[in-house]
Amino acid sequence: MTKLLHIDSSILGDHSTGRALTADVVAHFRAKEANLEVTHRDLVAQPLPHLDMELFSQFGKDIPADAPRRDEHVQSAEVLAEFEAADIVVIAAPLYNFGVPSQLKSWIDRLMIAGRTFRYVPTGIEGLIGQKKIVIVATRGGIYEENTPAAAFEHETSYLKAVFASLGQEVTAIIAEGLARNGGANRDAILAAAKDKIAAL
């Protein structure tokens, strides 16, 4: 059985373009995989606490029943287990103030555990989780692609590619940008192009 982990992080709910496009990605893989098991984690409906030293110090450890903040520790362990078990990871990543939503950053902080998901080696960082298919759906109101005036301000897809590269993963990025430019005049064409890329996965 193939396991797919679907991550949503937009605060816009049903009005989110990224949520709609990632749903299309999941539907695409459902059509391709007869035995696809999907786990959906909505990081807005189920927010994770921001990382602090108490949480960080307990990553990867057994948590006693009477431990302070035990529910938060268990939640962190569940998030990591979902990611480790997944063969395919589909992530909705809107661009907020030039970076990823804080909700998504809190999820990433549960994955990056030295000695568990990656390790330091003489040549840099080596992933320890095997190979997964990582699909990022990046949505942006403006234009931030390479060789444009705002390219240096894009810390969303470039950041996520760096995160997953450190875990030994390659990323397929489906980018729908310019959605808010000219009053959204090109929105339909942008979404159609994104859906063509989804169909080609």
Side-chain angles (χ1 to χ4, degrees):
M1 178 176 290
T2 301
K3 294 186 177 183
L4 183 151
L5 177 59
H6 175 191
I7 300 294
D8 272 321
S9 63
S10 170
I11 63 174
L12 298 180
D14 292 340
H15 300 288
S16 165
T17 301
R19 285 177 181 265
L21 290 174
T22 51
D24 289 343
V25 174
V26 173
H28 171 80
F29 283 116
R30 282 191 188 277
K32 288 182 65 174
E33 302 280 348
N35 296 310
L36 187 69
E37 178 182 305
V38 176
T39 298
H40 180 221
R41 182 168 286 274
D42 186 331
L43 299 174
V44 176
Q46 301 171 289
L48 298 166
H50 286 202
L51 186 63
D52 60 25
M53 191 60 201
E54 167 65 20
L55 291 170
F56 178 73
S57 67
Q58 298 302 311
F59 280 172
K61 297 180 180 179
D62 293 331
I63 307 300
D66 60 349
R69 301 172 64 184
R70 185 176 191 278
D71 289 349
E72 293 179 34
H73 293 304
V74 170
Q75 187 181 42
S76 292
E78 289 174 347
V79 165
L80 177 59
E82 288 171 355
F83 176 70
E84 289 181 321
D87 303 295
I88 305 168
V89 183
V90 179
I91 302 168
L95 182 73
Y96 290 168
N97 301 314
F98 311 124
V100 300
S102 61
Q103 292 90 344
L104 184 56
K105 177 61 166 61
S106 291
W107 178 76
I108 290 167
D109 287 339
R110 269 66 179 184
L111 313 182
M112 305 296 292
I113 303 176
R116 175 74 175 263
T117 57
F118 72 93
R119 64 183 176 188
Y120 296 103
V121 296
T123 54
I125 302 177
E126 180 179 75
L128 299 174
I129 58 172
Q131 288 300 306
K132 303 178 184 298
K133 186 174 186 66
I134 310 290
V135 180
I136 293 168
V137 176
T139 49
R140 309 168 183 168
I143 302 291
Y144 298 87
E145 65 184 353
E146 291 184 14
N147 301 316
T148 63
F153 296 99
E154 187 277 300
H155 305 290
E156 165 213 38
T157 306
S158 56
Y159 166 70
L160 291 170
K161 285 183 176 181
V163 165
F164 289 107
S166 73
L167 298 177
Q169 310 300 310
E170 293 186 2
V171 167
T172 298
I174 296 170
I175 299 172
E177 66 174 4
L179 291 165
R181 284 171 65 94
N182 301 317
N186 298 322
R187 183 182 180 84
D188 289 346
I190 293 166
L191 295 181
K195 290 183 179 185
D196 285 344
K197 293 175 183 176
I198 291 170
L201 288 171

